Amino acid sequence: MSNYENSNGKLIESLRERAKELNCLYAIEEVLTKSDAGLDHIFGSIVGVIPQGWQYPAYCQSKIILEHLTYQSSNFKETPWVQSIDIVVQDKAIGQLSVYYTKEMPMADQGPFLKEESKLIQTIADRLGHFIMYYRMKHLFQDKQDPIDLLADSRKQEWRVALDLLRQTDRNLFLSISHKMLNFLCWSGIDEAKRLLQYYSPDQKDGEDEPPSDPNRPYQKKALTHSSDFLSDETFKIAADHFNDEEILDIIQKWVQEDKVSFLVRTLNRNSSLAEVADAIRRYYRISPHGTDVSSASHRGVRVSLIRRFFSDELEFINIAKNYIDIGDFRDLLQNVIYTSESHGRLGGKSAGLFLASQIIKKVGGDLEILKNIKTPKTWYIASDVVLYFMQYNNLEGVVEQKYKEINQVRLEYPNIIQTFKNAHFPPDIIQGLSTALDDFKNSPLIVRSSSLLEDRTGAAFSGKYKSLFLANQGSKQEQLEALMDAIAEVYASVFGPDPIEYRAERGLLDFHEEMGIMIQEVVGTQIGHY
């Protein structure tokens, strides 16, 4: 066997292992989002799923210990071939996750286990820890008892139990809710709450909280004269005198729900990578599988931020898209996006337009007869900055200067650029993503479509300027993968073709930092014979 064939064999084997790990994580996510299931069912299902992600699933078993509870694979037996990790909640180990092989396996990176499997078990343990923490929080608002619930005193009002837990586990949220309650009581016209505000300043006099007479003078800063715990306790004593338990619980629950979206806001505001955004969205839906109240201002703000982050910052697009695209749509979208761990790219203009169109049809199609039978082809996306990653990986950064050359020279050199790109290599993490996409498409014919940042924007259509290439998508998995990478490389090369460069020059867009997203779509049709 040649070195090339041996190298390809190792790559394919590595891709298969990574695909198993991803499928394992997806299956665990699916179990965790079944919020109506009890803990016994959830963890009983997870110990059955975990072995699927390891190298030898037929000889793999798992066990989860949570305080006094134990969940394990059927016919479980302990062996010397084990890797274990603590399950941590609020910096405290509350249990352990262990994966066993039932017989001795070939030596790998860490005994019989791959180094990637060590990362996988850490990821699973982290997700279980997050799930347990928010499961406890959620069940404070329900009339249920659970074997790992934290309700120590069931005779206390539920809202008091919730506050006690928040005080212990998330002090910032506890203080935030206390302050919101004080403001709420003041706005409700309750005099005791207004008097409580006086504790914020030692020398406050009547009328001192009024706006300054000179509008250009700053407000007087108020300093706390009592501990924050004292103010919180007094605030809720006043609330208990004016509202019943159910009303207070509803108010607290609403604010806790709204806070669940705050980390998404923070993630988006600091221009995080696509991997960080994807993780934040998954965390959001682990915390709240059905999302928050759509009327929440925070929820609407996150929707707009996500639209801007993935698609476009054009106000005309955002004003339409925010009415049809929800946070959950991005969770579904991200399952079909290929990106690097450091990617900050978008999905491009064509992807933005087609995705918005599909969401509009999905939401209003049921009311209009003409739209009922319109379907959207299965689609995978490659983030726009992967083209830069591809070029850096192959030392092709100098090609960017093509846009500043004379158009005749660009036209003359373009065929060579196409061949240079087609003979370049894709980074392993992108190959892994493309392999997963091909598994999803199976043997359906494909079209590889350009989706640049400039494409299909207002005032710049770029119609026909970039490549779109059809693929039969037949043959072995390796042949399919090679054909797909070849087509993507050719679409990438079309960024530096004479037609788009000339078009950009005519519209003053030459200095725009152009990136090329990719859409891989299933070709819809009917097979007739061999066609």
Side-chain angles (χ1 to χ4, degrees):
M1 181 181 289
S2 69
N3 289 337
Y4 176 78
E5 290 172 332
N6 188 46
S7 175
N8 275 348
K10 289 181 178 178
L11 175 61
I12 293 296
E13 185 60 31
S14 175
L15 292 175
R16 288 193 184 120
E17 290 304 316
R18 301 298 78 72
K20 283 199 299 186
E21 292 164 12
L22 288 172
N23 289 334
C24 174
L25 291 175
Y26 291 150
I28 289 172
E29 287 292 333
E30 187 175 352
V31 173
L32 293 180
T33 53
K34 292 179 179 177
S35 58
D36 296 333
L39 284 179
D40 287 342
H41 175 79
I42 289 172
F43 287 103
S45 299
I46 287 175
V47 293
V49 166
I50 287 174
Q52 300 172 16
W54 266 253
Q55 192 176 11
Y56 306 105
Y59 304 101
C60 187
Q61 294 185 326
S62 65
K63 180 168 74 171
I64 296 174
I65 298 175
L66 294 174
E67 296 175 339
H68 59 282
L69 302 172
T70 300
Y71 305 91
Q72 57 194 32
S73 303
S74 58
N75 302 319
F76 176 83
K77 64 175 182 178
E78 290 194 3
T79 69
W81 309 290
V82 59
Q83 59 178 169
S84 299
I85 192 166
D86 287 339
I87 299 173
V88 178
V89 177
Q90 293 293 317
D91 298 323
K92 178 184 177 183
I94 66 154
Q96 192 175 64
L97 167 61
S98 301
V99 176
Y100 292 82
Y101 279 129
T102 56
K103 69 175 188 176
E104 188 171 2
M105 293 297 170
M107 292 297 289
D109 301 310
Q110 299 168 6
F113 300 101
L114 300 170
K115 62 180 182 296
E116 289 83 4
E117 291 169 344
S118 297
K119 296 178 183 177
L120 178 60
I121 195 173
Q122 177 71 65
T123 300
I124 294 173
D126 289 344
R127 293 188 181 185
L128 294 181
H130 287 138
F131 169 78
I132 291 167
M133 180 177 67
Y134 290 106
Y135 187 92
R136 290 170 169 178
M137 286 290 296
K138 174 184 173 183
H139 283 262
L140 286 172
F141 299 110
Q142 297 181 6
D143 229 350
K144 295 182 180 178
Q145 291 293 331
D146 195 88
I148 64 167
D149 209 342
L150 289 183
L151 294 178
D153 184 0
S154 59
R155 293 169 298 176
K156 297 172 71 175
Q157 295 102 320
E158 287 182 287
W159 66 265
R160 295 186 187 277
V161 177
L163 282 179
D164 287 346
L165 182 59
L166 284 175
R167 194 194 303 257
Q168 298 169 27
T169 62
D170 194 337
R171 189 162 180 80
N172 288 336
L173 180 55
F174 167 73
L175 295 176
S176 172
I177 286 177
S178 299
H179 194 66
K180 286 181 178 180
M181 179 59 78
L182 182 57
N183 288 335
F184 174 76
L185 296 172
C186 291
W187 297 335
S188 300
I190 297 173
D191 292 334
E192 299 100 299
K194 294 177 181 177
R195 287 194 292 271
L196 187 60
L197 279 176
Q198 295 176 7
Y199 288 108
Y200 277 87
S201 178
D203 301 318
Q204 184 173 329
K205 300 179 178 63
D206 290 340
E208 197 168 292
D209 58 345
E210 296 295 324
S213 56
D214 182 350
N216 294 317
R217 289 182 59 191
Y219 279 80
Q220 186 71 28
K221 180 180 178 180
K222 298 178 180 180
L224 287 173
T225 60
H226 287 70
S227 73
S228 53
D229 283 301
F230 167 80
L231 293 172
S232 298
D233 292 341
E234 291 301 309
T235 295
F236 281 98
K237 283 181 184 177
I238 297 170
D241 290 339
H242 292 82
F243 297 95
N244 62 43
D245 291 343
E246 186 176 351
E247 289 171 328
I248 296 174
L249 180 62
D250 287 343
I251 292 168
I252 295 174
Q253 186 174 13
K254 175 189 172 187
W255 290 334
V256 170
Q257 290 286 337
E258 288 179 355
D259 182 74
K260 289 178 182 178
V261 82
S262 62
F263 66 88
L264 253 181
V265 176
R266 293 193 296 272
T267 301
L268 293 166
N269 285 346
R270 64 172 183 259
N271 191 30
S272 302
S273 68
L274 283 178
E276 291 171 320
V277 173
D279 186 64
I281 291 175
R282 284 193 293 266
R283 178 184 165 198
Y284 170 74
Y285 275 93
R286 287 199 299 272
I287 296 169
S288 181
H290 304 294
T292 57
D293 180 5
V294 294
S295 65
S296 162
S298 297
H299 184 96
R300 293 197 299 272
V302 168
R303 249 185 2 246
V304 170
S305 295
L306 285 168
I307 291 166
R308 186 181 291 113
R309 175 67 183 80
F310 280 87
F311 294 124
S312 174
D313 52 11
E314 290 189 352
L315 289 179
E316 185 177 355
F317 180 89
I318 292 172
N319 285 333
I320 298 172
K322 67 184 181 183
N323 297 314
Y324 297 98
I325 300 178
D326 204 354
I327 297 176
D329 298 324
F330 289 97
R331 177 185 57 171
D332 299 335
L333 173 71
L334 277 163
Q335 295 179 7
N336 285 22
V337 178
I338 299 169
Y339 51 86
T340 70
S341 59
E342 300 299 323
S343 178
H344 285 73
R346 292 177 175 173
L347 301 187
K350 187 177 293 179
S351 297
L354 288 177
F355 186 78
L356 175 56
S358 69
Q359 295 306 114
I360 293 174
I361 290 170
K362 185 187 298 183
K363 288 181 169 58
V364 305
D367 300 326
L368 300 172
E369 189 65 33
I370 195 172
L371 299 180
K372 282 185 178 179
N373 295 321
I374 294 180
K375 298 178 181 178
T376 304
K378 182 182 294 182
T379 305
W380 278 71
Y381 307 85
I382 303 178
S384 62
D385 60 351
V386 171
V387 63
L388 304 180
Y389 183 41
F390 170 81
M391 292 169 64
Q392 291 166 3
Y393 190 77
N394 292 281
N395 298 314
L396 297 175
E397 295 96 325
V399 178
V400 174
E401 305 308 319
Q402 286 294 115
K403 63 185 179 181
Y404 295 115
K405 295 180 179 179
E406 293 292 332
I407 194 64
N408 288 334
Q409 186 178 357
V410 173
R411 201 175 302 278
L412 183 66
E413 296 176 358
Y414 180 50
N416 181 58
I417 289 176
I418 293 176
Q419 293 306 316
T420 300
F421 272 65
K422 287 166 78 74
N423 282 290
H425 302 284
F426 278 80
D429 49 348
I430 302 303
I431 296 176
Q432 179 178 330
L434 295 174
S435 176
T436 303
L438 285 174
D439 290 339
D440 189 32
F441 285 120
K442 299 184 172 60
N443 291 320
S444 297
L446 304 175
I447 180 170
V448 178
R449 310 183 69 179
S450 62
S451 183
S452 77
L453 296 189
L454 284 172
E455 199 166 6
D456 294 343
R457 287 165 59 103
T458 303
F462 279 79
S463 177
K465 304 300 180 186
Y466 297 129
K467 288 284 186 75
S468 288
L469 301 171
F470 286 94
L471 300 176
N473 195 34
Q474 303 298 303
S476 68
K477 176 66 177 292
Q478 182 63 28
E479 289 171 332
Q480 292 173 309
L481 189 58
E482 291 286 352
L484 178 58
M485 291 189 292
D486 183 75
I488 292 169
E490 188 168 340
V491 174
Y492 280 163
S494 69
V495 174
F496 307 101
D499 288 348
I501 288 177
E502 189 173 30
Y503 185 83
R504 290 172 64 185
E506 290 172 355
R507 284 156 179 77
L509 298 170
L510 210 54
D511 296 323
F512 183 88
H513 181 64
E514 175 70 307
E515 293 177 5
M516 174 61 74
I518 295 285
M519 296 174 64
I520 307 170
Q521 285 191 309
E522 181 180 34
V523 175
V524 178
T526 304
Q527 184 170 344
I528 300 176
H530 297 297
Y531 300 94

